[in-house]
């Protein structure tokens, strides 16, 4: 039997349970909460989607989140090292480490285009910041956003950005450097410090923007849209599929981020209560983000089903028409930048921890090499919006016929690799990992919760994640 180490990778633990939870919440709370959740809710009827989403988080997301963190905490190694360690101690094949290998590859590829999307956010921080400076200089600090432009010109900012590969590259580079620098500084000196500063600031900004939406927006229409289910939509497979996918991806499941962060958790950290706190915080942020965004959208007569353009075209157009919109636009995009950065560092930490453990590299060197790598690979996504816009690299695959390089990398990682990693994780923990090793790691006391968690991980989670994978491979089944 393999002897466990008492130290986390690099000999470092989170300084406290609160630091672990903040960092894990930062990993989970990303652009998916501010960009994907409102877009999915808007496209899937609001209340029906939200109801399914909450159920999916409670019955699938939180149990799988606990399963991933306990793998890391038990192994006290990199994601791959922890998976191998638990498999060996359980008398199972080392092949179960595939859950970590697939997840690490998927998350590194995700980081390549996530940095590009975060670069869009950074561009809007820059653009809205200049707008606020101009508004203050002209004596109109409470003017609408981009008041000197027409609504059409405000919406045109996104297509103009996509058409300019140099500008996209600059903001992609800045974000990649910031992410790499934080990870290179280590767990306590980098990731924990970033989470301790940015997450409280994130919540303050989110509450402030939501309060603004309640006062200036159509809050009643937004609340009705989000919390009054259309029961006809409850019967549509697409709504369930979208809610399943959002719950899975919003909690950073399937890619090893929670395994990596769990490895730095001390032995006195109760993983069950921590997982519950993380899932609750992530879900709350998504719903509050909806309550911050949709009142603004409804108040100016825009449609909630704008999809991915909701954040970068619909909202800026709404801010343009609202009093104080310039200030609120800047606050919103700073909020989104914090969310993007706390998530990106967790994506990079997975591969960094493995390189440090496997090849004994200095952390700064490992993070630097990986940072250069994801920036360069990310250039393919940058160019897919302009120079390479006509290329369809996976046109030979069903449902990828029209996918650009950006769409292809997003689709392969999100629809195939992450669900596959999550499925392997659920099967491994539910059926093959030694219960005598797994159960004490959960922090669940003897009683109904432990067998309930085991049932959910062994039966419901594999079925649900298999559906995500199936619908990802054959999206026509969910239509």
């Amino acid at each position: 039997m393999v002897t466990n180490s008492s130290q986390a990778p690099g000999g470092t633990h989170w300084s406290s349970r609160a630091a672990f939870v903040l960092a894990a919440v930062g990993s989970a709370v990303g652009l998916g909460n501010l960009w994907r959740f409102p877009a999915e809710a808007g496209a899937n009827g609001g209340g029906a989607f939200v109801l399914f989403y909450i159920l999916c988080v409670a019955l699938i997301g939180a149990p799988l989140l606990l399963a991933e963190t306990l793998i890391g905490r038990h192994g006290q190694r990199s994601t791959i090292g922890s998976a191998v360690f638990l498999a060996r101690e359980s008398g199972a094949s080392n092949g179960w480490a595939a859950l970590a290998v697939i997840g690490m590859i998927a998350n590194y590829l995700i980081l390549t285009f996530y940095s590009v999307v975060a670069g869009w956010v950074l561009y809007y921080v820059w653009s809205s910041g200049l707008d606020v400076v101009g508004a203050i200089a002209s004596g109109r600090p409470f003017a609408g956003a981009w008041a000197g432009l027409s609504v059409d010109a405000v919406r045109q900012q996104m297509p103009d950005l996509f058409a300019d590969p140099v500008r996209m590259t600059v903001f992609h580079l800045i974000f990649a450097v910031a992410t790499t620098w934080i990870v290179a500084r280590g767990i306590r000196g980098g990731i924990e410090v970033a989470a301790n500063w940015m997450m409280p600031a994130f919540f303050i900004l989110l509450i402030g923007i939501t309060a603004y939406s309640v006062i200036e927006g159509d809050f009643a229409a937004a609340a009705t849209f989000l919390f009054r289910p259309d029961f006809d939509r409850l019967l549509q497979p697409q709504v369930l599929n979208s809610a399943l996918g959002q719950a899975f991806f919003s909690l950073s499941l399937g890619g090893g981020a929670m395994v990596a962060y769990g490895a730095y958790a001390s032995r006195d950290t109760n993983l069950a209560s921590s997982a519950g706190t993380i899932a609750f915080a992530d879900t709350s942020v998504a719903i509050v983000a909806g309550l911050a965004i949709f009142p603004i959208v409804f108040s100016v007569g825009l449609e909630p089903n704008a999809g991915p353009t909701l954040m970068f075209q619909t909202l800026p157009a709404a801010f343009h028409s609202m009093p104080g919109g310039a200030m609120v636009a800047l606050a919103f995009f700073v909020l989104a930048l914090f969310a993007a950065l706390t998530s990106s560092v967790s994506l990079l930490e997975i591969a960094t921890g493995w390189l440090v453990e496997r090849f004994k590299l200095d952390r700064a060197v490992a993070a630097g090499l990986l940072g250069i790598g994801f920036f360069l690979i990310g250039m393919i996504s940058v160019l897919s919006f302009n120079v390479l816009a006509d290329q369809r690299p996976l046109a030979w695959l069903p449902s990828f016929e029209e996918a650009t390089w950006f769409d292809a990398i997003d689709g392969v990682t999100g629809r195939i690799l992450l669900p596959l990693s999550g499925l392997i994780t659920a099967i491994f923990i539910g059926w093959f990992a030694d219960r005598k090793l797994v159960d004490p790691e959960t922090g669940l006391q003897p009683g109904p919760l432990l067998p309930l968690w085991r049932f959910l991980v062994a039966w419901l989670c594999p079925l649900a994640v298999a559906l995500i994978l199936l619908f990802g491979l054959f999206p026509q089944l969910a239509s």
Side-chain angles (χ1 to χ4, degrees):
M1 181 174 294
V2 181
T3 302
N4 196 3
S5 167
S6 61
Q7 294 295 318
T12 303
H13 287 104
W14 304 109
S15 62
S16 64
R17 176 183 178 274
F20 164 56
V21 170
L22 267 181
V25 169
S27 173
V29 173
L31 292 179
N33 299 76
L34 301 177
W35 181 28
R36 178 170 170 162
F37 176 83
E40 291 289 340
N44 291 283
F49 170 85
V50 172
L51 177 60
F52 272 138
Y53 172 69
I54 293 173
L55 289 174
C56 289
V57 168
L59 299 178
I60 299 159
L64 197 52
L65 174 62
L66 176 55
E68 291 197 3
T69 54
L70 73 82
I71 293 174
R73 210 263 297 275
H74 182 77
Q76 298 275 288
R77 290 161 170 79
S78 68
T79 55
I80 296 175
S82 292
V84 168
F85 181 78
L86 182 56
R88 287 179 179 175
E89 283 210 317
S90 300
S93 168
N94 288 354
W96 288 106
L99 69 91
V101 175
I102 294 171
M104 184 175 71
I105 294 171
N107 267 349
Y108 189 70
L109 289 175
I110 287 171
L111 184 56
T112 68
F113 70 81
Y114 191 88
S115 179
V116 175
V117 176
W120 307 346
V121 175
L122 190 56
Y123 164 76
Y124 275 88
V125 170
W126 174 78
S127 176
S128 58
L130 289 180
D131 182 52
V132 167
V133 171
I136 293 174
S138 62
R140 298 178 294 105
F142 299 106
W146 299 284
L149 302 177
S150 67
V151 174
D152 288 342
V154 171
R155 298 179 68 94
Q156 186 62 30
Q157 289 184 103
M158 188 179 187
D160 287 346
L161 175 63
F162 288 173
D164 188 344
V166 174
R167 189 163 36 166
M168 285 183 68
T169 298
V170 169
F171 289 106
H172 167 43
L173 175 62
I174 294 172
F175 187 84
V177 169
T179 299
T180 303
W181 181 76
I182 291 173
V183 173
R185 288 180 58 84
I187 295 302
R188 289 197 180 184
I191 298 174
E192 185 175 314
V193 171
N196 286 344
W197 281 94
M198 283 191 283
M199 290 314 298
F202 172 90
F203 289 120
I204 291 171
L205 286 170
L206 182 60
I207 292 170
I209 294 171
T210 305
Y212 172 87
S213 296
V214 171
I215 296 170
E216 295 291 341
D218 192 341
F219 186 78
T224 299
F225 177 72
L226 285 172
F227 301 124
R228 181 180 294 173
D230 178 351
F231 289 99
D232 290 335
R233 301 298 293 270
L234 289 174
L235 302 177
Q236 296 179 3
Q238 174 59 35
V239 177
L240 175 58
N241 175 49
S242 297
L244 267 173
Q246 178 63 25
F248 184 82
F249 301 124
S250 181
L251 288 171
S252 296
L253 300 176
M258 292 304 168
V259 178
Y261 277 16
Y264 299 105
S266 63
R267 291 294 176 190
D268 58 358
T269 297
N270 187 299
L271 294 185
S273 63
S274 297
T277 301
I278 295 163
F280 176 79
D282 181 73
T283 305
S284 299
V285 167
I287 293 174
V288 173
L291 292 175
I293 291 171
F294 287 119
I296 296 174
V297 171
F298 285 124
S299 69
V300 294
L302 298 174
E303 292 298 322
N305 59 347
T309 63
L310 179 67
M311 182 170 167
F312 296 105
Q313 286 186 297
T314 304
L315 273 180
F319 291 140
H320 177 270
S321 307
M322 301 185 73
M327 292 285 191
V328 176
L330 176 58
F332 176 80
F333 286 110
V334 169
L335 168 83
L337 181 61
F338 287 168
L341 198 50
T342 54
S343 292
S344 67
V345 296
S346 70
L347 297 177
L348 184 56
E349 172 59 28
I350 301 167
T352 300
W354 179 73
L355 280 184
V356 170
E357 178 181 89
R358 177 68 177 79
F359 298 103
K360 310 303 179 186
L361 292 180
D362 177 78
R363 168 173 280 271
V365 172
L369 290 174
L370 291 167
I372 293 171
F374 83 74
F375 167 75
L376 292 176
I377 298 172
M379 288 303 302
I380 298 174
S381 291
V382 168
L383 297 177
S384 72
F385 289 91
N386 34 76
V387 178
L388 304 179
D390 295 331
Q391 292 193 9
R392 301 292 182 267
L394 298 181
W396 48 277
L397 285 177
S399 77
F400 283 90
E401 294 88 350
E402 298 301 318
T404 64
W405 279 102
F406 177 93
D407 297 328
I409 298 172
D410 181 16
V412 168
T413 54
R415 288 157 50 184
I416 301 175
L417 296 182
L418 286 184
L420 181 59
S421 174
L423 178 61
I424 296 172
T425 300
I427 295 173
F428 172 56
I429 294 297
W431 294 96
F432 291 91
D434 190 337
R435 292 190 179 189
K436 294 179 181 178
L437 301 174
V438 168
D439 291 354
E441 292 286 357
T442 65
L444 293 170
Q445 300 301 316
L449 288 181
L450 184 57
L452 174 61
W453 173 77
R454 294 209 60 89
F455 169 79
L456 293 174
V457 171
W459 294 96
L460 186 59
C461 288
L463 175 61
V465 180
L467 284 176
I468 296 174
L469 182 60
L470 179 65
F471 289 146
L473 291 170
F474 306 101
Q476 64 272 18
L477 296 177
S479 60

